[in-house]
Structure formats: C-alpha cells, structure tokens
Amino acid sequence: MTSRLEWTTIDSVDPRRLAEFWCGVLGYVVYEDRGEVVEIGPDPEVPDAERLADLRRGPAVPSMSFVRVPDGKSGKNRVHFEITPIDVDQRSELDRLLALGASTVDLGQGENRSWVVLADPEGNEFCLARSLAPGEFEL
C-alpha cells in the first residue's frame, strides 16, 4: 500500500493573487476558486475519471491550494519548493520569475551557489535550481 502526494496547501492573505503567481511560475491553471480557497494544478488534458485513474497508478504532479488566513507569513519556511527551468537558462527564468512578482532573498546561503533563493509575493521562500534545458544540462 502506498499514498500519493496529491496537493500542497499554502496559507495566504490573498489566495487568488498567490494562485495567479504560482500559475505563472508552473504553467498551472485554476481548478477551483471559492474565494477562501483557490486550487491550481496542471492543465487537465484528460477527463476527470482518467486523471483519477492515472493518480491511482503512480506518482502524479500535485496540485496546490491556497487558503485564506488572517495573518501574513512570519519566519523562515521549514519546507520550500525547488523549481528548475526546462526550456531556458537559469538567468532567463530568474528574470521571468522576478517579472511575475518574485523577489530575491538572502537567507545566508552565500554567493556562487548553483541555485537562487526567491520569495513569492507573500514571502514564501523557494529556490530556482539549475536549468534542465537542452544545452544547459547533460547527464
């Protein structure tokens, strides 16, 4: 018996704004917006029943939910996302993420790292790792 990571829930002062940011980052779409909760995930290209069957067969890309809370983020995240560009170099992706509303963050990681620490519009840290784009990364 196993379980699947189906979604990640993130507390948010403005769930819709944060959902829009992460849709832009990951190429996701809004599945449901109930005001207090906004769920996003990969653009569904198959009917719901087939998606559920795929989820039961093996690992799947998780969706994300943003839940309205009254207080903003405080302190450093204990869990964060690591994202990697797949079709552009890291610098181009960094520029794109900054234009979407991300900001760079100094958590004491030092210089000359292969990753860049960023924060989403509500201050949740995430890392931009090396690019997997053709010509940028080889096995």
Side-chain angles (χ1 to χ4, degrees), residues 10-12 17-18 21-22 25 64 66 73 77 81 97 100-105 118-126:
I10 300 172
D11 290 348
S12 175
R17 169 66 183 109
L18 209 51
F21 171 80
W22 282 102
V25 171
M64 300 170 75
F66 302 91
K73 178 186 171 288
N77 293 10
F81 296 111
L97 297 176
L100 285 173
S103 57
T104 56
V105 178
L118 300 166
D120 69 20
E122 291 200 13
N124 300 299
E125 298 94 3
F126 66 99

mmCIF file with all atom_site columns, all heavy atoms in Angstrom, residues 10-12 17-18 21-22 25 64 66 73 77 81 97 100-105 118-126:
data_model
loop_
_atom_site.group_PDB
_atom_site.id
_atom_site.type_symbol
_atom_site.label_atom_id
_atom_site.label_alt_id
_atom_site.label_comp_id
_atom_site.label_asym_id
_atom_site.label_entity_id
_atom_site.label_seq_id
_atom_site.pdbx_PDB_ins_code
_atom_site.Cartn_x
_atom_site.Cartn_y
_atom_site.Cartn_z
_atom_site.occupancy
_atom_site.B_iso_or_equiv
_atom_site.pdbx_formal_charge
_atom_site.auth_seq_id
_atom_site.auth_comp_id
_atom_site.auth_asym_id
_atom_site.auth_atom_id
_atom_site.pdbx_PDB_model_num
ATOM 1   N N   . ILE A 1 10  ? -1.083 25.994 1.038   1.00 0.00 ? 10  ILE A N   1
ATOM 2   C CA  . ILE A 1 10  ? -0.291 27.134 1.492   1.00 0.00 ? 10  ILE A CA  1
ATOM 3   C C   . ILE A 1 10  ? -1.230 28.184 2.069   1.00 0.00 ? 10  ILE A C   1
ATOM 4   O O   . ILE A 1 10  ? -2.186 28.595 1.405   1.00 0.00 ? 10  ILE A O   1
ATOM 5   C CB  . ILE A 1 10  ? 0.525  27.734 0.321   1.00 0.00 ? 10  ILE A CB  1
ATOM 6   C CG1 . ILE A 1 10  ? 1.472  26.661 -0.235  1.00 0.00 ? 10  ILE A CG1 1
ATOM 7   C CG2 . ILE A 1 10  ? 1.269  28.982 0.759   1.00 0.00 ? 10  ILE A CG2 1
ATOM 8   C CD1 . ILE A 1 10  ? 2.179  27.057 -1.499  1.00 0.00 ? 10  ILE A CD1 1
ATOM 9   N N   . ASP A 1 11  ? -0.968 28.601 3.310   1.00 0.00 ? 11  ASP A N   1
ATOM 10  C CA  . ASP A 1 11  ? -1.739 29.690 3.907   1.00 0.00 ? 11  ASP A CA  1
ATOM 11  C C   . ASP A 1 11  ? -1.422 30.974 3.168   1.00 0.00 ? 11  ASP A C   1
ATOM 12  O O   . ASP A 1 11  ? -0.281 31.210 2.756   1.00 0.00 ? 11  ASP A O   1
ATOM 13  C CB  . ASP A 1 11  ? -1.384 29.857 5.388   1.00 0.00 ? 11  ASP A CB  1
ATOM 14  C CG  . ASP A 1 11  ? -1.885 28.710 6.249   1.00 0.00 ? 11  ASP A CG  1
ATOM 15  O OD1 . ASP A 1 11  ? -2.699 27.900 5.764   1.00 0.00 ? 11  ASP A OD1 1
ATOM 16  O OD2 . ASP A 1 11  ? -1.457 28.629 7.415   1.00 0.00 ? 11  ASP A OD2 1
ATOM 17  N N   . SER A 1 12  ? -2.435 31.820 3.024   1.00 0.00 ? 12  SER A N   1
ATOM 18  C CA  . SER A 1 12  ? -2.261 33.024 2.227   1.00 0.00 ? 12  SER A CA  1
ATOM 19  C C   . SER A 1 12  ? -3.211 34.130 2.670   1.00 0.00 ? 12  SER A C   1
ATOM 20  O O   . SER A 1 12  ? -4.360 33.856 3.007   1.00 0.00 ? 12  SER A O   1
ATOM 21  C CB  . SER A 1 12  ? -2.542 32.682 0.757   1.00 0.00 ? 12  SER A CB  1
ATOM 22  O OG  . SER A 1 12  ? -2.498 33.826 -0.044  1.00 0.00 ? 12  SER A OG  1
ATOM 23  N N   . ARG A 1 17  ? -4.365 35.999 -5.584  1.00 0.00 ? 17  ARG A N   1
ATOM 24  C CA  . ARG A 1 17  ? -3.108 36.601 -6.064  1.00 0.00 ? 17  ARG A CA  1
ATOM 25  C C   . ARG A 1 17  ? -1.972 35.583 -6.034  1.00 0.00 ? 17  ARG A C   1
ATOM 26  O O   . ARG A 1 17  ? -1.203 35.470 -6.982  1.00 0.00 ? 17  ARG A O   1
ATOM 27  C CB  . ARG A 1 17  ? -2.765 37.836 -5.222  1.00 0.00 ? 17  ARG A CB  1
ATOM 28  C CG  . ARG A 1 17  ? -1.364 38.393 -5.438  1.00 0.00 ? 17  ARG A CG  1
ATOM 29  C CD  . ARG A 1 17  ? -1.179 38.953 -6.851  1.00 0.00 ? 17  ARG A CD  1
ATOM 30  N NE  . ARG A 1 17  ? 0.175  39.408 -7.049  1.00 0.00 ? 17  ARG A NE  1
ATOM 31  C CZ  . ARG A 1 17  ? 1.073  38.783 -7.835  1.00 0.00 ? 17  ARG A CZ  1
ATOM 32  N NH1 . ARG A 1 17  ? 0.761  37.706 -8.490  1.00 0.00 ? 17  ARG A NH1 1
ATOM 33  N NH2 . ARG A 1 17  ? 2.291  39.259 -7.956  1.00 0.00 ? 17  ARG A NH2 1
ATOM 34  N N   . LEU A 1 18  ? -1.871 34.824 -4.941  1.00 0.00 ? 18  LEU A N   1
ATOM 35  C CA  . LEU A 1 18  ? -0.796 33.847 -4.839  1.00 0.00 ? 18  LEU A CA  1
ATOM 36  C C   . LEU A 1 18  ? -1.011 32.709 -5.847  1.00 0.00 ? 18  LEU A C   1
ATOM 37  O O   . LEU A 1 18  ? -0.050 32.230 -6.464  1.00 0.00 ? 18  LEU A O   1
ATOM 38  C CB  . LEU A 1 18  ? -0.702 33.304 -3.410  1.00 0.00 ? 18  LEU A CB  1
ATOM 39  C CG  . LEU A 1 18  ? 0.672  32.851 -2.964  1.00 0.00 ? 18  LEU A CG  1
ATOM 40  C CD1 . LEU A 1 18  ? 1.748  33.893 -3.218  1.00 0.00 ? 18  LEU A CD1 1
ATOM 41  C CD2 . LEU A 1 18  ? 0.642  32.454 -1.503  1.00 0.00 ? 18  LEU A CD2 1
ATOM 42  N N   . PHE A 1 21  ? 0.162  33.913 -9.196  1.00 0.00 ? 21  PHE A N   1
ATOM 43  C CA  . PHE A 1 21  ? 1.618  33.904 -9.268  1.00 0.00 ? 21  PHE A CA  1
ATOM 44  C C   . PHE A 1 21  ? 2.123  32.497 -9.587  1.00 0.00 ? 21  PHE A C   1
ATOM 45  O O   . PHE A 1 21  ? 2.903  32.298 -10.525 1.00 0.00 ? 21  PHE A O   1
ATOM 46  C CB  . PHE A 1 21  ? 2.235  34.404 -7.952  1.00 0.00 ? 21  PHE A CB  1
ATOM 47  C CG  . PHE A 1 21  ? 3.718  34.227 -7.887  1.00 0.00 ? 21  PHE A CG  1
ATOM 48  C CD1 . PHE A 1 21  ? 4.572  35.112 -8.522  1.00 0.00 ? 21  PHE A CD1 1
ATOM 49  C CD2 . PHE A 1 21  ? 4.274  33.146 -7.211  1.00 0.00 ? 21  PHE A CD2 1
ATOM 50  C CE1 . PHE A 1 21  ? 5.951  34.939 -8.479  1.00 0.00 ? 21  PHE A CE1 1
ATOM 51  C CE2 . PHE A 1 21  ? 5.648  32.953 -7.156  1.00 0.00 ? 21  PHE A CE2 1
ATOM 52  C CZ  . PHE A 1 21  ? 6.493  33.850 -7.791  1.00 0.00 ? 21  PHE A CZ  1
ATOM 53  N N   . TRP A 1 22  ? 1.675  31.511 -8.811  1.00 0.00 ? 22  TRP A N   1
ATOM 54  C CA  . TRP A 1 22  ? 2.165  30.149 -8.998  1.00 0.00 ? 22  TRP A CA  1
ATOM 55  C C   . TRP A 1 22  ? 1.677  29.536 -10.315 1.00 0.00 ? 22  TRP A C   1
ATOM 56  O O   . TRP A 1 22  ? 2.376  28.716 -10.907 1.00 0.00 ? 22  TRP A O   1
ATOM 57  C CB  . TRP A 1 22  ? 1.832  29.284 -7.785  1.00 0.00 ? 22  TRP A CB  1
ATOM 58  C CG  . TRP A 1 22  ? 2.803  29.585 -6.671  1.00 0.00 ? 22  TRP A CG  1
ATOM 59  C CD1 . TRP A 1 22  ? 2.568  30.358 -5.564  1.00 0.00 ? 22  TRP A CD1 1
ATOM 60  C CD2 . TRP A 1 22  ? 4.162  29.173 -6.605  1.00 0.00 ? 22  TRP A CD2 1
ATOM 61  N NE1 . TRP A 1 22  ? 3.714  30.433 -4.806  1.00 0.00 ? 22  TRP A NE1 1
ATOM 62  C CE2 . TRP A 1 22  ? 4.705  29.719 -5.417  1.00 0.00 ? 22  TRP A CE2 1
ATOM 63  C CE3 . TRP A 1 22  ? 4.979  28.400 -7.414  1.00 0.00 ? 22  TRP A CE3 1
ATOM 64  C CZ2 . TRP A 1 22  ? 6.030  29.501 -5.036  1.00 0.00 ? 22  TRP A CZ2 1
ATOM 65  C CZ3 . TRP A 1 22  ? 6.302  28.182 -7.031  1.00 0.00 ? 22  TRP A CZ3 1
ATOM 66  C CH2 . TRP A 1 22  ? 6.804  28.725 -5.857  1.00 0.00 ? 22  TRP A CH2 1
ATOM 67  N N   . VAL A 1 25  ? 4.256  30.739 -12.645 1.00 0.00 ? 25  VAL A N   1
ATOM 68  C CA  . VAL A 1 25  ? 5.538  30.064 -12.448 1.00 0.00 ? 25  VAL A CA  1
ATOM 69  C C   . VAL A 1 25  ? 5.519  28.676 -13.074 1.00 0.00 ? 25  VAL A C   1
ATOM 70  O O   . VAL A 1 25  ? 6.437  28.286 -13.796 1.00 0.00 ? 25  VAL A O   1
ATOM 71  C CB  . VAL A 1 25  ? 5.888  29.961 -10.939 1.00 0.00 ? 25  VAL A CB  1
ATOM 72  C CG1 . VAL A 1 25  ? 7.103  29.067 -10.714 1.00 0.00 ? 25  VAL A CG1 1
ATOM 73  C CG2 . VAL A 1 25  ? 6.131  31.336 -10.338 1.00 0.00 ? 25  VAL A CG2 1
ATOM 74  N N   . MET A 1 64  ? -1.936 22.510 -6.057  1.00 0.00 ? 64  MET A N   1
ATOM 75  C CA  . MET A 1 64  ? -1.665 23.386 -4.916  1.00 0.00 ? 64  MET A CA  1
ATOM 76  C C   . MET A 1 64  ? -2.961 24.071 -4.521  1.00 0.00 ? 64  MET A C   1
ATOM 77  O O   . MET A 1 64  ? -3.759 24.433 -5.388  1.00 0.00 ? 64  MET A O   1
ATOM 78  C CB  . MET A 1 64  ? -0.622 24.448 -5.286  1.00 0.00 ? 64  MET A CB  1
ATOM 79  C CG  . MET A 1 64  ? 0.708  23.881 -5.718  1.00 0.00 ? 64  MET A CG  1
ATOM 80  S SD  . MET A 1 64  ? 1.813  25.143 -6.427  1.00 0.00 ? 64  MET A SD  1
ATOM 81  C CE  . MET A 1 64  ? 2.335  26.018 -4.970  1.00 0.00 ? 64  MET A CE  1
ATOM 82  N N   . PHE A 1 66  ? -4.446 27.292 -2.027  1.00 0.00 ? 66  PHE A N   1
ATOM 83  C CA  . PHE A 1 66  ? -4.107 28.488 -1.258  1.00 0.00 ? 66  PHE A CA  1
ATOM 84  C C   . PHE A 1 66  ? -5.316 28.821 -0.402  1.00 0.00 ? 66  PHE A C   1
ATOM 85  O O   . PHE A 1 66  ? -6.419 29.009 -0.918  1.00 0.00 ? 66  PHE A O   1
ATOM 86  C CB  . PHE A 1 66  ? -3.742 29.636 -2.206  1.00 0.00 ? 66  PHE A CB  1
ATOM 87  C CG  . PHE A 1 66  ? -2.590 29.269 -3.090  1.00 0.00 ? 66  PHE A CG  1
ATOM 88  C CD1 . PHE A 1 66  ? -2.811 28.680 -4.322  1.00 0.00 ? 66  PHE A CD1 1
ATOM 89  C CD2 . PHE A 1 66  ? -1.286 29.457 -2.679  1.00 0.00 ? 66  PHE A CD2 1
ATOM 90  C CE1 . PHE A 1 66  ? -1.761 28.293 -5.139  1.00 0.00 ? 66  PHE A CE1 1
ATOM 91  C CE2 . PHE A 1 66  ? -0.227 29.082 -3.485  1.00 0.00 ? 66  PHE A CE2 1
ATOM 92  C CZ  . PHE A 1 66  ? -0.467 28.498 -4.716  1.00 0.00 ? 66  PHE A CZ  1
ATOM 93  N N   . LYS A 1 73  ? 2.772  35.749 6.560   1.00 0.00 ? 73  LYS A N   1
ATOM 94  C CA  . LYS A 1 73  ? 3.838  34.815 6.895   1.00 0.00 ? 73  LYS A CA  1
ATOM 95  C C   . LYS A 1 73  ? 4.794  35.445 7.901   1.00 0.00 ? 73  LYS A C   1
ATOM 96  O O   . LYS A 1 73  ? 5.083  36.627 7.837   1.00 0.00 ? 73  LYS A O   1
ATOM 97  C CB  . LYS A 1 73  ? 4.593  34.444 5.617   1.00 0.00 ? 73  LYS A CB  1
ATOM 98  C CG  . LYS A 1 73  ? 5.756  33.514 5.844   1.00 0.00 ? 73  LYS A CG  1
ATOM 99  C CD  . LYS A 1 73  ? 6.513  33.336 4.549   1.00 0.00 ? 73  LYS A CD  1
ATOM 100 C CE  . LYS A 1 73  ? 7.795  32.601 4.753   1.00 0.00 ? 73  LYS A CE  1
ATOM 101 N NZ  . LYS A 1 73  ? 8.837  33.333 5.414   1.00 0.00 ? 73  LYS A NZ  1
ATOM 102 N N   . ASN A 1 77  ? 10.453 29.582 6.059   1.00 0.00 ? 77  ASN A N   1
ATOM 103 C CA  . ASN A 1 77  ? 9.739  28.341 5.761   1.00 0.00 ? 77  ASN A CA  1
ATOM 104 C C   . ASN A 1 77  ? 10.556 27.144 6.234   1.00 0.00 ? 77  ASN A C   1
ATOM 105 O O   . ASN A 1 77  ? 11.771 27.135 6.098   1.00 0.00 ? 77  ASN A O   1
ATOM 106 C CB  . ASN A 1 77  ? 9.531  28.173 4.253   1.00 0.00 ? 77  ASN A CB  1
ATOM 107 C CG  . ASN A 1 77  ? 8.609  29.173 3.645   1.00 0.00 ? 77  ASN A CG  1
ATOM 108 O OD1 . ASN A 1 77  ? 8.211  30.142 4.263   1.00 0.00 ? 77  ASN A OD1 1
ATOM 109 N ND2 . ASN A 1 77  ? 8.270  28.942 2.393   1.00 0.00 ? 77  ASN A ND2 1
ATOM 110 N N   . PHE A 1 81  ? 9.765  24.887 -2.020  1.00 0.00 ? 81  PHE A N   1
ATOM 111 C CA  . PHE A 1 81  ? 9.813  24.271 -3.342  1.00 0.00 ? 81  PHE A CA  1
ATOM 112 C C   . PHE A 1 81  ? 11.168 24.527 -3.983  1.00 0.00 ? 81  PHE A C   1
ATOM 113 O O   . PHE A 1 81  ? 11.778 25.575 -3.785  1.00 0.00 ? 81  PHE A O   1
ATOM 114 C CB  . PHE A 1 81  ? 8.732  24.860 -4.252  1.00 0.00 ? 81  PHE A CB  1
ATOM 115 C CG  . PHE A 1 81  ? 7.343  24.584 -3.771  1.00 0.00 ? 81  PHE A CG  1
ATOM 116 C CD1 . PHE A 1 81  ? 6.558  25.611 -3.290  1.00 0.00 ? 81  PHE A CD1 1
ATOM 117 C CD2 . PHE A 1 81  ? 6.822  23.299 -3.797  1.00 0.00 ? 81  PHE A CD2 1
ATOM 118 C CE1 . PHE A 1 81  ? 5.280  25.374 -2.835  1.00 0.00 ? 81  PHE A CE1 1
ATOM 119 C CE2 . PHE A 1 81  ? 5.544  23.044 -3.343  1.00 0.00 ? 81  PHE A CE2 1
ATOM 120 C CZ  . PHE A 1 81  ? 4.767  24.084 -2.862  1.00 0.00 ? 81  PHE A CZ  1
ATOM 121 N N   . LEU A 1 97  ? 10.650 35.084 -13.467 1.00 0.00 ? 97  LEU A N   1
ATOM 122 C CA  . LEU A 1 97  ? 10.039 34.962 -12.139 1.00 0.00 ? 97  LEU A CA  1
ATOM 123 C C   . LEU A 1 97  ? 9.999  36.304 -11.420 1.00 0.00 ? 97  LEU A C   1
ATOM 124 O O   . LEU A 1 97  ? 9.007  36.634 -10.749 1.00 0.00 ? 97  LEU A O   1
ATOM 125 C CB  . LEU A 1 97  ? 10.786 33.924 -11.307 1.00 0.00 ? 97  LEU A CB  1
ATOM 126 C CG  . LEU A 1 97  ? 10.758 32.497 -11.858 1.00 0.00 ? 97  LEU A CG  1
ATOM 127 C CD1 . LEU A 1 97  ? 11.623 31.579 -11.009 1.00 0.00 ? 97  LEU A CD1 1
ATOM 128 C CD2 . LEU A 1 97  ? 9.345  31.974 -11.977 1.00 0.00 ? 97  LEU A CD2 1
ATOM 129 N N   . LEU A 1 100 ? 7.161  38.227 -12.702 1.00 0.00 ? 100 LEU A N   1
ATOM 130 C CA  . LEU A 1 100 ? 5.878  37.726 -12.192 1.00 0.00 ? 100 LEU A CA  1
ATOM 131 C C   . LEU A 1 100 ? 5.570  38.226 -10.781 1.00 0.00 ? 100 LEU A C   1
ATOM 132 O O   . LEU A 1 100 ? 4.428  38.166 -10.346 1.00 0.00 ? 100 LEU A O   1
ATOM 133 C CB  . LEU A 1 100 ? 5.869  36.193 -12.183 1.00 0.00 ? 100 LEU A CB  1
ATOM 134 C CG  . LEU A 1 100 ? 5.711  35.494 -13.519 1.00 0.00 ? 100 LEU A CG  1
ATOM 135 C CD1 . LEU A 1 100 ? 5.904  33.991 -13.350 1.00 0.00 ? 100 LEU A CD1 1
ATOM 136 C CD2 . LEU A 1 100 ? 4.342  35.787 -14.126 1.00 0.00 ? 100 LEU A CD2 1
ATOM 137 N N   . GLY A 1 101 ? 6.612  38.683 -10.068 1.00 0.00 ? 101 GLY A N   1
ATOM 138 C CA  . GLY A 1 101 ? 6.393  39.173 -8.710  1.00 0.00 ? 101 GLY A CA  1
ATOM 139 C C   . GLY A 1 101 ? 7.251  38.524 -7.648  1.00 0.00 ? 101 GLY A C   1
ATOM 140 O O   . GLY A 1 101 ? 7.118  38.828 -6.458  1.00 0.00 ? 101 GLY A O   1
ATOM 141 N N   . ALA A 1 102 ? 8.145  37.626 -8.039  1.00 0.00 ? 102 ALA A N   1
ATOM 142 C CA  . ALA A 1 102 ? 9.076  37.038 -7.072  1.00 0.00 ? 102 ALA A CA  1
ATOM 143 C C   . ALA A 1 102 ? 10.107 38.082 -6.666  1.00 0.00 ? 102 ALA A C   1
ATOM 144 O O   . ALA A 1 102 ? 10.300 39.097 -7.355  1.00 0.00 ? 102 ALA A O   1
ATOM 145 C CB  . ALA A 1 102 ? 9.780  35.825 -7.679  1.00 0.00 ? 102 ALA A CB  1
ATOM 146 N N   . SER A 1 103 ? 10.769 37.830 -5.551  1.00 0.00 ? 103 SER A N   1
ATOM 147 C CA  . SER A 1 103 ? 11.873 38.689 -5.118  1.00 0.00 ? 103 SER A CA  1
ATOM 148 C C   . SER A 1 103 ? 13.017 37.796 -4.656  1.00 0.00 ? 103 SER A C   1
ATOM 149 O O   . SER A 1 103 ? 12.806 36.654 -4.255  1.00 0.00 ? 103 SER A O   1
ATOM 150 C CB  . SER A 1 103 ? 11.430 39.614 -3.980  1.00 0.00 ? 103 SER A CB  1
ATOM 151 O OG  . SER A 1 103 ? 10.932 38.857 -2.897  1.00 0.00 ? 103 SER A OG  1
ATOM 152 N N   . THR A 1 104 ? 14.239 38.296 -4.754  1.00 0.00 ? 104 THR A N   1
ATOM 153 C CA  . THR A 1 104 ? 15.389 37.533 -4.274  1.00 0.00 ? 104 THR A CA  1
ATOM 154 C C   . THR A 1 104 ? 15.453 37.650 -2.760  1.00 0.00 ? 104 THR A C   1
ATOM 155 O O   . THR A 1 104 ? 15.031 38.647 -2.184  1.00 0.00 ? 104 THR A O   1
ATOM 156 C CB  . THR A 1 104 ? 16.702 38.025 -4.904  1.00 0.00 ? 104 THR A CB  1
ATOM 157 O OG1 . THR A 1 104 ? 16.851 39.421 -4.637  1.00 0.00 ? 104 THR A OG1 1
ATOM 158 C CG2 . THR A 1 104 ? 16.710 37.777 -6.410  1.00 0.00 ? 104 THR A CG2 1
ATOM 159 N N   . VAL A 1 105 ? 15.984 36.615 -2.121  1.00 0.00 ? 105 VAL A N   1
ATOM 160 C CA  . VAL A 1 105 ? 16.033 36.551 -0.664  1.00 0.00 ? 105 VAL A CA  1
ATOM 161 C C   . VAL A 1 105 ? 17.425 36.104 -0.237  1.00 0.00 ? 105 VAL A C   1
ATOM 162 O O   . VAL A 1 105 ? 17.989 35.171 -0.813  1.00 0.00 ? 105 VAL A O   1
ATOM 163 C CB  . VAL A 1 105 ? 14.987 35.553 -0.115  1.00 0.00 ? 105 VAL A CB  1
ATOM 164 C CG1 . VAL A 1 105 ? 15.072 35.445 1.389   1.00 0.00 ? 105 VAL A CG1 1
ATOM 165 C CG2 . VAL A 1 105 ? 13.588 35.957 -0.532  1.00 0.00 ? 105 VAL A CG2 1
ATOM 166 N N   . LEU A 1 118 ? 14.493 32.658 -3.764  1.00 0.00 ? 118 LEU A N   1
ATOM 167 C CA  . LEU A 1 118 ? 13.484 33.648 -4.093  1.00 0.00 ? 118 LEU A CA  1
ATOM 168 C C   . LEU A 1 118 ? 12.347 33.568 -3.083  1.00 0.00 ? 118 LEU A C   1
ATOM 169 O O   . LEU A 1 118 ? 12.279 32.633 -2.290  1.00 0.00 ? 118 LEU A O   1
ATOM 170 C CB  . LEU A 1 118 ? 12.932 33.392 -5.495  1.00 0.00 ? 118 LEU A CB  1
ATOM 171 C CG  . LEU A 1 118 ? 13.938 33.445 -6.638  1.00 0.00 ? 118 LEU A CG  1
ATOM 172 C CD1 . LEU A 1 118 ? 13.347 32.846 -7.901  1.00 0.00 ? 118 LEU A CD1 1
ATOM 173 C CD2 . LEU A 1 118 ? 14.368 34.873 -6.876  1.00 0.00 ? 118 LEU A CD2 1
ATOM 174 N N   . ALA A 1 119 ? 11.458 34.542 -3.147  1.00 0.00 ? 119 ALA A N   1
ATOM 175 C CA  . ALA A 1 119 ? 10.228 34.513 -2.350  1.00 0.00 ? 119 ALA A CA  1
ATOM 176 C C   . ALA A 1 119 ? 9.076  34.870 -3.269  1.00 0.00 ? 119 ALA A C   1
ATOM 177 O O   . ALA A 1 119 ? 9.223  35.697 -4.171  1.00 0.00 ? 119 ALA A O   1
ATOM 178 C CB  . ALA A 1 119 ? 10.305 35.490 -1.187  1.00 0.00 ? 119 ALA A CB  1
ATOM 179 N N   . ASP A 1 120 ? 7.922  34.222 -3.033  1.00 0.00 ? 120 ASP A N   1
ATOM 180 C CA  . ASP A 1 120 ? 6.724  34.566 -3.790  1.00 0.00 ? 120 ASP A CA  1
ATOM 181 C C   . ASP A 1 120 ? 6.162  35.885 -3.253  1.00 0.00 ? 120 ASP A C   1
ATOM 182 O O   . ASP A 1 120 ? 6.732  36.459 -2.314  1.00 0.00 ? 120 ASP A O   1
ATOM 183 C CB  . ASP A 1 120 ? 5.714  33.417 -3.786  1.00 0.00 ? 120 ASP A CB  1
ATOM 184 C CG  . ASP A 1 120 ? 5.068  33.135 -2.435  1.00 0.00 ? 120 ASP A CG  1
ATOM 185 O OD1 . ASP A 1 120 ? 5.064  34.017 -1.538  1.00 0.00 ? 120 ASP A OD1 1
ATOM 186 O OD2 . ASP A 1 120 ? 4.538  32.028 -2.270  1.00 0.00 ? 120 ASP A OD2 1
ATOM 187 N N   . PRO A 1 121 ? 5.089  36.410 -3.809  1.00 0.00 ? 121 PRO A N   1
ATOM 188 C CA  . PRO A 1 121 ? 4.583  37.715 -3.367  1.00 0.00 ? 121 PRO A CA  1
ATOM 189 C C   . PRO A 1 121 ? 4.183  37.805 -1.888  1.00 0.00 ? 121 PRO A C   1
ATOM 190 O O   . PRO A 1 121 ? 4.075  38.900 -1.355  1.00 0.00 ? 121 PRO A O   1
ATOM 191 C CB  . PRO A 1 121 ? 3.362  37.941 -4.270  1.00 0.00 ? 121 PRO A CB  1
ATOM 192 C CG  . PRO A 1 121 ? 3.714  37.223 -5.526  1.00 0.00 ? 121 PRO A CG  1
ATOM 193 C CD  . PRO A 1 121 ? 4.413  35.980 -5.042  1.00 0.00 ? 121 PRO A CD  1
ATOM 194 N N   . GLU A 1 122 ? 4.001  36.663 -1.207  1.00 0.00 ? 122 GLU A N   1
ATOM 195 C CA  . GLU A 1 122 ? 3.680  36.700 0.217   1.00 0.00 ? 122 GLU A CA  1
ATOM 196 C C   . GLU A 1 122 ? 4.860  36.295 1.087   1.00 0.00 ? 122 GLU A C   1
ATOM 197 O O   . GLU A 1 122 ? 4.728  36.097 2.285   1.00 0.00 ? 122 GLU A O   1
ATOM 198 C CB  . GLU A 1 122 ? 2.452  35.836 0.512   1.00 0.00 ? 122 GLU A CB  1
ATOM 199 C CG  . GLU A 1 122 ? 1.194  36.451 -0.077  1.00 0.00 ? 122 GLU A CG  1
ATOM 200 C CD  . GLU A 1 122 ? -0.081 35.939 0.548   1.00 0.00 ? 122 GLU A CD  1
ATOM 201 O OE1 . GLU A 1 122 ? -0.042 35.276 1.606   1.00 0.00 ? 122 GLU A OE1 1
ATOM 202 O OE2 . GLU A 1 122 ? -1.147 36.225 -0.027  1.00 0.00 ? 122 GLU A OE2 1
ATOM 203 N N   . GLY A 1 123 ? 6.048  36.178 0.478   1.00 0.00 ? 123 GLY A N   1
ATOM 204 C CA  . GLY A 1 123 ? 7.252  35.933 1.251   1.00 0.00 ? 123 GLY A CA  1
ATOM 205 C C   . GLY A 1 123 ? 7.629  34.482 1.450   1.00 0.00 ? 123 GLY A C   1
ATOM 206 O O   . GLY A 1 123 ? 8.574  34.190 2.173   1.00 0.00 ? 123 GLY A O   1
ATOM 207 N N   . ASN A 1 124 ? 6.922  33.537 0.816   1.00 0.00 ? 124 ASN A N   1
ATOM 208 C CA  . ASN A 1 124 ? 7.259  32.115 0.932   1.00 0.00 ? 124 ASN A CA  1
ATOM 209 C C   . ASN A 1 124 ? 8.490  31.826 0.080   1.00 0.00 ? 124 ASN A C   1
ATOM 210 O O   . ASN A 1 124 ? 8.474  32.052 -1.129  1.00 0.00 ? 124 ASN A O   1
ATOM 211 C CB  . ASN A 1 124 ? 6.086  31.247 0.467   1.00 0.00 ? 124 ASN A CB  1
ATOM 212 C CG  . ASN A 1 124 ? 4.851  31.489 1.293   1.00 0.00 ? 124 ASN A CG  1
ATOM 213 O OD1 . ASN A 1 124 ? 4.851  31.270 2.492   1.00 0.00 ? 124 ASN A OD1 1
ATOM 214 N ND2 . ASN A 1 124 ? 3.800  31.967 0.650   1.00 0.00 ? 124 ASN A ND2 1
ATOM 215 N N   . GLU A 1 125 ? 9.544  31.326 0.734   1.00 0.00 ? 125 GLU A N   1
ATOM 216 C CA  . GLU A 1 125 ? 10.784 31.076 0.026   1.00 0.00 ? 125 GLU A CA  1
ATOM 217 C C   . GLU A 1 125 ? 10.669 29.859 -0.887  1.00 0.00 ? 125 GLU A C   1
ATOM 218 O O   . GLU A 1 125 ? 9.988  28.895 -0.583  1.00 0.00 ? 125 GLU A O   1
ATOM 219 C CB  . GLU A 1 125 ? 11.935 30.835 1.009   1.00 0.00 ? 125 GLU A CB  1
ATOM 220 C CG  . GLU A 1 125 ? 12.254 31.998 1.905   1.00 0.00 ? 125 GLU A CG  1
ATOM 221 C CD  . GLU A 1 125 ? 11.531 31.926 3.248   1.00 0.00 ? 125 GLU A CD  1
ATOM 222 O OE1 . GLU A 1 125 ? 10.814 30.944 3.518   1.00 0.00 ? 125 GLU A OE1 1
ATOM 223 O OE2 . GLU A 1 125 ? 11.690 32.878 4.030   1.00 0.00 ? 125 GLU A OE2 1
ATOM 224 N N   . PHE A 1 126 ? 11.373 29.928 -2.018  1.00 0.00 ? 126 PHE A N   1
ATOM 225 C CA  . PHE A 1 126 ? 11.550 28.794 -2.913  1.00 0.00 ? 126 PHE A CA  1
ATOM 226 C C   . PHE A 1 126 ? 12.869 28.989 -3.631  1.00 0.00 ? 126 PHE A C   1
ATOM 227 O O   . PHE A 1 126 ? 13.438 30.076 -3.617  1.00 0.00 ? 126 PHE A O   1
ATOM 228 C CB  . PHE A 1 126 ? 10.376 28.636 -3.883  1.00 0.00 ? 126 PHE A CB  1
ATOM 229 C CG  . PHE A 1 126 ? 10.202 29.749 -4.883  1.00 0.00 ? 126 PHE A CG  1
ATOM 230 C CD1 . PHE A 1 126 ? 10.672 29.614 -6.179  1.00 0.00 ? 126 PHE A CD1 1
ATOM 231 C CD2 . PHE A 1 126 ? 9.542  30.923 -4.539  1.00 0.00 ? 126 PHE A CD2 1
ATOM 232 C CE1 . PHE A 1 126 ? 10.480 30.632 -7.114  1.00 0.00 ? 126 PHE A CE1 1
ATOM 233 C CE2 . PHE A 1 126 ? 9.351  31.941 -5.460  1.00 0.00 ? 126 PHE A CE2 1
ATOM 234 C CZ  . PHE A 1 126 ? 9.827  31.795 -6.752  1.00 0.00 ? 126 PHE A CZ  1
#
